[in-house]
């Protein structure tokens, strides 16, 4: 029997954690580039999109960051932790099109200390480079840009993301096909070689909208891929339908439902929240996937974010326009900015899913990042860099704003270095300052001490 999908209340007494108040303090703010590339596309900028995994990360005492310059060149930089001085390398590639999907993502393989760069793709072939983290830090170390993943042909793809398995293999997540008709796939790097694992989500199957219209294609938009300490791979997601006829109004968005699956064999096979095998590929007809049902008429955001607490329990942040404002979003951007609300959805120790509205609205169309500190206090980095937090001791109910500084002029979404939070208790936020038109603007990294 499946456990109830949503608990109405949080049983805070079941959480045995020290009462440590979540706090943030700004430690420093450094410039990566005073004149980085700036243009707005799909409500975002190409240097800072929440679905990048990762644009900034920490490994063996160094922090790495990446962006595009005003001349459209891809750049990767590093600094020693504790230093404000960044060493930049201009890579032999220039952004090919003004499209905010064409982000740069970084991954590091602990097996051989190689850093991997995937970039500039939206339903096109990949651009890819790699170098060692222990060798010379210059463009020659990365070599020429490859159009394959180290010799593995992936074809047209979107959303390159890296994740490291518990034993140190580097995995590469990407989507083939397009919005409303696409497949999530994985590749894996081990022993210096990439190999394809193949598709694990399905684009096919029938979905009937609340108006009775049927859609037969879709894609699964991931909120992330996250390994916990035991080696379980967690994936929360939303579906986007290919047939816009499922909408009450064409000004909406065909995203619907929050789903969840996990894998105990590094993404080869998948299970639902109740532990039942759902097969591979995971499809709209797989049993028990939905943990928060929502029809496609509420402007549900795709690819927001997820995290896993110290007990291995998944937490997801989602945002949409609640029904108390409207049951039919007709102007996605306007109504999300005006009425959009953020929700915390998580699985408790008893297997029950709880959903709570965060009482601080984002007042923006864009995505929020979710981060835990080492006491399992929860921080949401909202658009424009506002940080709100809740304590584990309260059952994540005592939400409060812990940082909000409009003078920093952060544009929309930011990127966060989750690896540095784990290793040092420091949250590094990469952000770009708002500008106008295509006028370049500074891209920076703000460092916060948590707890």
């Amino acid at each position: 029997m499946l456990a109830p999908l949503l608990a109405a209340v949080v049983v805070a007494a079941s959480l045995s954690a020290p009462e440590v108040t979540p706090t943030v303090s700004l430690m420093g703010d450094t410039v990566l580039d005073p004149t980085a590339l700036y243009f707005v596309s799909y409500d975002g900028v190409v240097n800072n999109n929440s679905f990048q995994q990762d644009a900034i990360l920490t490994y063996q005492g160094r922090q790495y960051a990446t962006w595009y310059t005003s001349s459209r060149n891809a750049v990767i930089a590093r600094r020693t932790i504790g230093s404000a001085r960044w060493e930049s390398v201009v890579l032999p590639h220039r952004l090919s099109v003004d499209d905010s999907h064409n982000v740069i993502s970084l991954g590091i393989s602990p097996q051989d200390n190689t850093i991997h760069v995937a970039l500039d793709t939206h339903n096109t072939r990949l651009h890819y480079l790699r170098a060692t983290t222990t060798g010379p830090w210059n463009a020659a170390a990365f070599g020429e840009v490859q159009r394959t993943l180290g010799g593995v042909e992936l074809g047209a793809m979107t959303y390159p993301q890296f994740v490291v398995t518990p034993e140190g293999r580097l995995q590469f997540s990407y989507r083939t096909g397009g919005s409303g008709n696409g497949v999530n796939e994985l590749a894996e790097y081990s022993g210096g070689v990439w190999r394809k694992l193949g598709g694990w989500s399905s684009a096919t199957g029938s979905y009937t909208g609340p108006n009775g219209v049927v859609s037969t294609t879709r894609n699964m938009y991931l909120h992330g891929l996250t390994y916990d300490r035991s080696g379980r791979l967690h994936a929360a997601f939303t579906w986007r339908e290919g047939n816009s006829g499922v909408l009450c109004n064409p000004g909406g968005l065909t995203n619907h439902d929050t789903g969840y699956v996990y894998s105990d064999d590094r993404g080869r096979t998948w299970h639902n929240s109740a532990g039942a095998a759902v097969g591979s590929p995971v499809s709209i007809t797989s049993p028990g996937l939905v943990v928060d049902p929502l029809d496609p008429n509420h402007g549900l955001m795709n690819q927001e974010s997820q995290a896993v607490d110290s007990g291995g329990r998944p937490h997801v942040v989602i945002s949409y326009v609640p029904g108390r404002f409207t049951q039919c979003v007709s102007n996605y951007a306007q109504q999300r900015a005006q009425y959009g609300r953020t929700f915390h959805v998580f699985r408790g120790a008893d297997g029950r899913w709880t959903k709570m509205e965060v009482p601080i609205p984002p007042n923006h169309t864009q995505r929020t990042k979710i981060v835990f500190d080492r006491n399992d206090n929860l921080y949401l980095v909202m658009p424009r860099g506002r940080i709100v937090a809740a304590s584990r001791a309260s059952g994540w109910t005592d939400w409060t704003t812990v940082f909000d500084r409009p003078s920093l002029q952060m544009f929309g979404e930011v990127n966060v270095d989750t690896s540095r939070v784990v290793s040092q208790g420091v949250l590094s936020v990469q952000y770009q300052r708002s500008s106008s038109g295509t006028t370049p603007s500074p891209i920076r990294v703000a460092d916060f001490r948590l707890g």
Side-chain angles (χ1 to χ4, degrees), residues 278-431:
V278 295
S280 186
V282 180
S283 75
I284 192 84
T285 59
S286 298
L289 301 187
V290 177
V291 298
D292 182 39
L294 187 72
D295 70 51
N297 295 316
H298 292 274
L300 176 66
M301 175 55 80
N302 49 280
Q303 297 160 290
E304 202 123 9
S305 65
Q306 67 175 38
V308 179
D309 65 27
S310 63
R313 294 176 289 270
H315 296 245
V316 189
V317 60
I318 63 174
S319 60
Y320 61 88
V321 176
R324 66 178 183 269
F325 297 112
T326 181
Q327 294 290 347
C328 181
V329 168
S330 57
N331 185 318
Y332 169 77
Q334 177 186 326
Q335 290 174 300
R336 267 192 59 91
Q338 185 175 3
Y339 300 122
R341 295 297 184 267
T342 300
F343 296 84
H344 174 212
V345 181
F346 65 98
R347 186 173 188 241
D350 61 357
R352 293 163 61 89
W353 286 85
T354 296
K355 173 186 175 183
M356 299 186 64
E357 181 173 340
V358 177
I360 303 163
N363 299 320
H364 206 281
T365 62
Q366 295 298 88
R367 302 172 179 90
T368 289
K369 299 290 285 189
I370 182 171
V371 177
F372 280 104
D373 68 17
R374 290 181 285 190
N375 295 300
D376 273 349
N377 295 319
L378 189 55
Y379 301 79
L380 301 183
V381 189
M382 288 183 158
R384 301 191 184 101
R386 177 197 292 167
I387 305 175
V388 302
S391 68
R392 172 176 170 155
S394 73
W396 304 292
T397 61
D398 56 350
W399 291 100
T400 186
T401 300
V402 292
F403 182 84
D404 189 11
R405 192 171 296 181
S407 61
L408 292 179
Q409 302 173 40
M410 296 186 185
F411 174 93
E413 294 177 11
V414 300
N415 289 311
V416 302
D417 183 349
T418 55
S419 53
R420 192 176 181 192
V421 175
V422 172
S423 62
Q424 299 177 346
V426 173
L427 171 65
S428 291
V429 175
Q430 184 199 63
Y431 69 95

Side-chain angles (χ1 to χ4, degrees), residues 65-80:
T66 186
W67 70 95
Y68 293 103
T69 69
S70 58
S71 58
R72 310 179 71 86
N73 289 98
V75 169
I76 183 170
R78 71 181 184 186
R79 66 172 172 178
T80 301

Side-chain angles (χ1 to χ4, degrees), residues 226-276:
T226 309
Y227 279 100
D228 67 23
R229 296 176 183 178
S230 71
R232 175 165 290 178
L233 178 60
H234 302 264
F237 62 90
T238 184
W239 294 112
R240 174 174 290 182
E241 294 303 317
N243 185 355
S244 61
V246 300
L247 294 170
C248 61
N249 188 288
L253 194 67
T254 62
N255 296 344
H256 64 92
D257 297 327
T258 297
Y260 168 81
V261 288
Y262 71 85
S263 173
D264 287 331
D265 58 5
R266 310 305 187 251
R268 273 72 169 176
T269 59
W270 297 88
H271 296 75
N272 65 22
S273 182

Side-chain angles (χ1 to χ4, degrees), residues 9-279:
V9 297
V10 178
V11 184
S14 68
L15 300 170
S16 55
E19 294 193 21
V20 179
T21 302
T23 60
V24 303
S25 55
L26 182 61
M27 301 165 53
D29 192 322
T30 60
V31 179
L32 289 171
D33 185 342
T35 55
L37 182 65
Y38 185 95
F39 60 84
V40 179
S41 157
Y42 297 93
D43 289 335
V45 293
V46 72
N47 285 328
N48 280 94
N49 262 304
S50 176
F51 53 76
Q52 288 174 268
Q53 193 172 322
D54 294 286
I56 182 168
L57 55 81
T58 294
Y59 180 71
Q60 292 188 345
R62 287 193 176 112
Q63 189 172 53
Y64 299 83
T66 186
W67 70 95
Y68 293 103
T69 69
S70 58
S71 58
R72 310 179 71 86
N73 289 98
V75 169
I76 183 170
R78 71 181 184 186
R79 66 172 172 178
T80 301
I81 291 297
S83 171
R85 178 178 174 271
W86 292 87
E87 303 173 87
S88 298
V89 172
V90 178
L91 299 173
H93 182 76
R94 299 177 75 242
L95 180 66
S96 60
V97 63
D98 284 356
D99 186 337
S100 63
H101 288 84
N102 293 42
V103 298
I104 311 173
S105 291
L106 302 178
I108 295 180
S109 167
Q111 289 188 343
D112 61 3
N113 297 314
T114 50
I115 186 164
H116 301 247
V117 186
L119 69 159
D120 196 7
T121 177
H122 183 196
N123 297 330
T124 56
R125 291 178 71 208
L126 177 70
H127 296 86
Y128 168 79
L129 305 98
R130 79 174 182 229
T132 66
T133 61
T134 55
W137 190 244
N138 53 41
F142 286 88
E144 296 297 317
V145 175
Q146 302 178 45
R147 299 306 306 273
T148 63
L149 188 67
V152 177
E153 179 60 64
L154 304 180
M157 53 153 291
T158 312
Y159 304 122
Q161 300 176 352
F162 294 96
V163 62
V164 179
T165 71
E167 62 275 5
R169 299 178 201 161
L170 185 65
Q171 292 186 317
F172 184 67
S173 168
Y174 58 102
R175 186 193 73 191
T176 54
S179 173
N181 190 6
V183 171
N184 290 337
E185 303 202 33
L186 284 171
E188 192 170 81
Y189 178 83
S190 186
V193 176
W194 283 102
R195 64 187 182 96
K196 286 182 69 170
L197 302 183
W200 65 271
S201 75
S202 171
T204 61
S206 293
Y207 168 80
T208 304
N211 58 4
V213 173
V214 176
S215 176
T216 57
T217 66
R218 69 204 44 82
N219 71 284
M220 174 194 283
Y221 272 125
L222 293 171
H223 292 301
L225 287 172
T226 309
Y227 279 100
D228 67 23
R229 296 176 183 178
S230 71
R232 175 165 290 178
L233 178 60
H234 302 264
F237 62 90
T238 184
W239 294 112
R240 174 174 290 182
E241 294 303 317
N243 185 355
S244 61
V246 300
L247 294 170
C248 61
N249 188 288
L253 194 67
T254 62
N255 296 344
H256 64 92
D257 297 327
T258 297
Y260 168 81
V261 288
Y262 71 85
S263 173
D264 287 331
D265 58 5
R266 310 305 187 251
R268 273 72 169 176
T269 59
W270 297 88
H271 296 75
N272 65 22
S273 182
V278 295

